[in-house]
Amino acid sequence: MPTIRSTTPRVAIYARQSVDEEQGIGQQLDDCRAECRRREWQIAGEFQDNDTSASKERGPKTAWAAMLKAFDAGEFDAIIVTETSRITRSLVDVLDIRPPRRDIRVVVIREAIDTEHDDFMLKQLVLLAEREVKIKGARAARYAATRRAAGHPTPGKPPHGYRWVPQIERDSAGIRYRIDDAEAEDVRQMFREFLAGAPLGQIARDLSEAGRLTRRGSRWSSSTVRRVLLNPVYAALLAPAQPSGEYDATAIDLEACTPGAWDAIVERDHLVAARSRLIGVAPNHSGTARKWLLSGLAICAVCSTPVRSARGETHPTARIDGSGAAQTLRYHAYRCVKGHFMRNGDIIDEFISEVCIVRLSAADALQLVSPRADRVDIGVLHATREGLKTRRQSIARFVARGLLTDLEADDSLREIADEMRSISDEIARAIREDPLAELAEVDDVRAWWNGSTLARRRLIVEALMTVRIHPVGHGRRVTNLDSAAETVTVEWSRS
């Protein structure tokens, strides 16, 4: 039995665009509303898919799916769009709205299509659009392969530390990433501190407390610092493409990366060292961010338990002249978790800082920061790794010429991969910095200490000494460095 339509159809307006632009959707809706007014049609609903491709499958959460569900519920009779490309670029979608599956009347304003009379032109235009999508896809894939071979990244927002170079400003080499000096220093500090042993949370806190925020103006976190330390782009390496929406920095094989055409911010070995410490280790997003120099480092002189930071509060007594008590003040303190003491931490931090500055300024301090005698020769490791790469290429040639079976090649390649992984681990261990190494070239230790991060100061205290804090008894106040020296014991780890 033929479908009986009312003389005035109930119409659903559908608007779609692939890229989120402020005016695009609005203009489509305005044009469709004007056409409905001209024809005196009733608008039963409006459906908008912003930032949605018409050449890919539209999921159940899109306005497209909601519109089909509304038609199935009998809420409208026809769809009106401005252009065929707005409704779809895939014939599969046309089969969703035209017989035999559904019989939705489709009206296209600019191409004067009305499927009540004939849907041949609609299907032809969609087929042409589908063909154009495939041609553009093949062209884009070829261009992407050429671009990657030249070491150029994909267009888009560059990572922290780099700025995108517009085409009009590029040099003859077509470089697309330019180092942002201020942001690049953030990246260098992350690698420097992490390779010296600082926790991710402490690195994030130090950057944020210094007012050095992410590009969005947010504070750094353990997870954002971790992403930086894993990213091969900072060593000027272009990672292999990964499936859309499935990016995983830990799955990137550095050996499969293409040399990038931009300048590196950190050395490749530093990237290898950072990744070796992070990959295979469960991320600790809570971090270990300390606010004070000795939290968790100093120990109680009575029970040898690590001390914790606390907030002390003064309890002033009333003045003799009857004018009342002084204002209650809060202060930074260290406390023994077993209750042996709680002491003002500022004077203790000042004392330990002074002890470190004096020790590192001494004539024999260079012995503390001299390279280890058993230091691995990184140049030899690099040469060995290059030799393994050559062996891997030779095996591929032998297989191609039939001189090796696939099974024999697999065994050899697995052995080479294990050796290369072992060498990368050795390079990572060799490149990890001694927290004192930076001081070898420092002339003014006091200025360096005052300008260094809390993470670096804590690393130096941990490397140089064990700090024991003694109880001082009720009523005694430690207010200067001399009295602090009498109640704090320093046991040197490096002499």
Side-chain angles (χ1 to χ4, degrees), residues 4 142 156 183 253 261 308-309 352 354 371 394 418 428 452 486:
I4 300 175
R142 183 177 179 183
E183 291 185 356
D253 179 4
R308 296 290 181 262
S309 61
I352 294 300
E354 194 65 28
S394 299
D418 290 341
S452 64
E486 296 173 358

Short mmCIF file of all heavy atoms in Angstrom, two decimals, residues 4 142 156 183 253 261 308-309 352 354 371 394 418 428 452 486:
data_model
loop_
_atom_site.label_atom_id
_atom_site.label_comp_id
_atom_site.label_asym_id
_atom_site.label_seq_id
_atom_site.Cartn_x
_atom_site.Cartn_y
_atom_site.Cartn_z
N ILE A 4 0.95 7.53 2.27
CA ILE A 4 0.17 8.76 2.05
C ILE A 4 0.84 9.90 2.79
O ILE A 4 1.04 9.83 4.01
CB ILE A 4 -1.28 8.57 2.54
CG1 ILE A 4 -1.95 7.41 1.79
CG2 ILE A 4 -2.06 9.85 2.38
CD1 ILE A 4 -3.33 7.07 2.30
N ARG A 142 50.04 9.69 0.15
CA ARG A 142 51.31 9.84 -0.58
C ARG A 142 52.07 11.07 -0.07
O ARG A 142 53.29 11.02 0.12
CB ARG A 142 51.01 9.98 -2.07
CG ARG A 142 52.26 10.07 -2.94
CD ARG A 142 51.89 10.11 -4.40
NE ARG A 142 53.08 10.23 -5.23
CZ ARG A 142 53.05 10.34 -6.56
NH1 ARG A 142 51.88 10.33 -7.19
NH2 ARG A 142 54.16 10.45 -7.24
N GLY A 156 49.48 20.92 13.00
CA GLY A 156 48.76 20.88 14.27
C GLY A 156 49.54 21.58 15.36
O GLY A 156 50.61 22.15 15.13
N GLU A 183 59.94 28.00 26.86
CA GLU A 183 59.34 26.68 27.05
C GLU A 183 60.39 25.57 26.96
O GLU A 183 60.32 24.58 27.67
CB GLU A 183 58.24 26.44 26.01
CG GLU A 183 57.01 27.30 26.21
CD GLU A 183 55.89 26.95 25.25
OE1 GLU A 183 56.09 26.10 24.37
OE2 GLU A 183 54.80 27.54 25.39
N ASP A 253 58.91 2.75 19.16
CA ASP A 253 60.26 2.18 19.02
C ASP A 253 61.16 3.27 18.46
O ASP A 253 60.99 3.72 17.33
CB ASP A 253 60.20 0.98 18.06
CG ASP A 253 61.58 0.35 17.85
OD1 ASP A 253 62.55 0.80 18.50
OD2 ASP A 253 61.68 -0.58 17.02
N ALA A 261 63.40 17.09 11.02
CA ALA A 261 64.08 18.18 10.34
C ALA A 261 64.20 19.42 11.22
O ALA A 261 64.66 20.46 10.76
CB ALA A 261 63.33 18.53 9.05
N ARG A 308 58.54 14.35 59.32
CA ARG A 308 57.51 14.85 58.41
C ARG A 308 57.33 16.34 58.62
O ARG A 308 57.63 16.88 59.70
CB ARG A 308 56.18 14.13 58.66
CG ARG A 308 56.23 12.63 58.35
CD ARG A 308 56.34 12.39 56.86
NE ARG A 308 56.36 10.96 56.54
CZ ARG A 308 57.46 10.27 56.31
NH1 ARG A 308 58.66 10.88 56.40
NH2 ARG A 308 57.42 8.99 56.01
N SER A 309 56.83 17.00 57.61
CA SER A 309 56.55 18.44 57.75
C SER A 309 55.22 18.61 58.48
O SER A 309 54.36 17.73 58.45
CB SER A 309 56.49 19.11 56.38
OG SER A 309 55.48 18.55 55.60
N ILE A 352 70.96 23.83 57.32
CA ILE A 352 71.42 22.78 56.40
C ILE A 352 71.82 23.39 55.06
O ILE A 352 72.80 22.96 54.43
CB ILE A 352 70.33 21.70 56.21
CG1 ILE A 352 70.10 20.95 57.53
CG2 ILE A 352 70.71 20.73 55.11
CD1 ILE A 352 71.34 20.23 58.06
N GLU A 354 73.12 26.32 54.64
CA GLU A 354 74.42 26.93 54.86
C GLU A 354 75.52 25.87 54.91
O GLU A 354 76.62 26.06 54.36
CB GLU A 354 74.40 27.75 56.16
CG GLU A 354 75.56 28.70 56.33
CD GLU A 354 75.59 29.80 55.29
OE1 GLU A 354 74.51 30.16 54.77
OE2 GLU A 354 76.70 30.28 54.98
N PRO A 371 84.02 12.86 37.79
CA PRO A 371 83.40 11.69 37.14
C PRO A 371 83.89 10.39 37.78
O PRO A 371 85.02 10.30 38.23
CB PRO A 371 83.87 11.80 35.68
CG PRO A 371 84.25 13.23 35.50
CD PRO A 371 84.77 13.70 36.83
N SER A 394 71.67 -6.58 7.00
CA SER A 394 72.25 -7.70 6.24
C SER A 394 71.33 -8.91 6.26
O SER A 394 71.16 -9.60 5.24
CB SER A 394 73.62 -8.07 6.81
OG SER A 394 74.53 -6.99 6.71
N ASP A 418 67.36 -8.04 21.38
CA ASP A 418 67.71 -8.16 22.80
C ASP A 418 69.02 -7.42 23.09
O ASP A 418 69.14 -6.73 24.12
CB ASP A 418 67.83 -9.63 23.20
CG ASP A 418 66.49 -10.35 23.21
OD1 ASP A 418 65.45 -9.65 23.27
OD2 ASP A 418 66.47 -11.59 23.14
N ALA A 428 71.44 4.33 29.10
CA ALA A 428 70.57 5.03 30.05
C ALA A 428 71.21 5.12 31.42
O ALA A 428 71.19 6.16 32.07
CB ALA A 428 69.22 4.32 30.13
N SER A 452 68.58 27.40 42.53
CA SER A 452 68.26 26.04 42.12
C SER A 452 66.86 25.64 42.59
O SER A 452 66.26 26.28 43.46
CB SER A 452 69.29 25.06 42.67
OG SER A 452 69.24 25.04 44.09
N GLU A 486 73.81 23.11 67.36
CA GLU A 486 73.90 22.30 68.58
C GLU A 486 72.80 21.24 68.66
O GLU A 486 72.91 20.29 69.43
CB GLU A 486 73.78 23.23 69.80
CG GLU A 486 74.93 24.22 69.92
CD GLU A 486 74.69 25.22 71.04
OE1 GLU A 486 73.62 25.14 71.69
OE2 GLU A 486 75.56 26.08 71.27
#
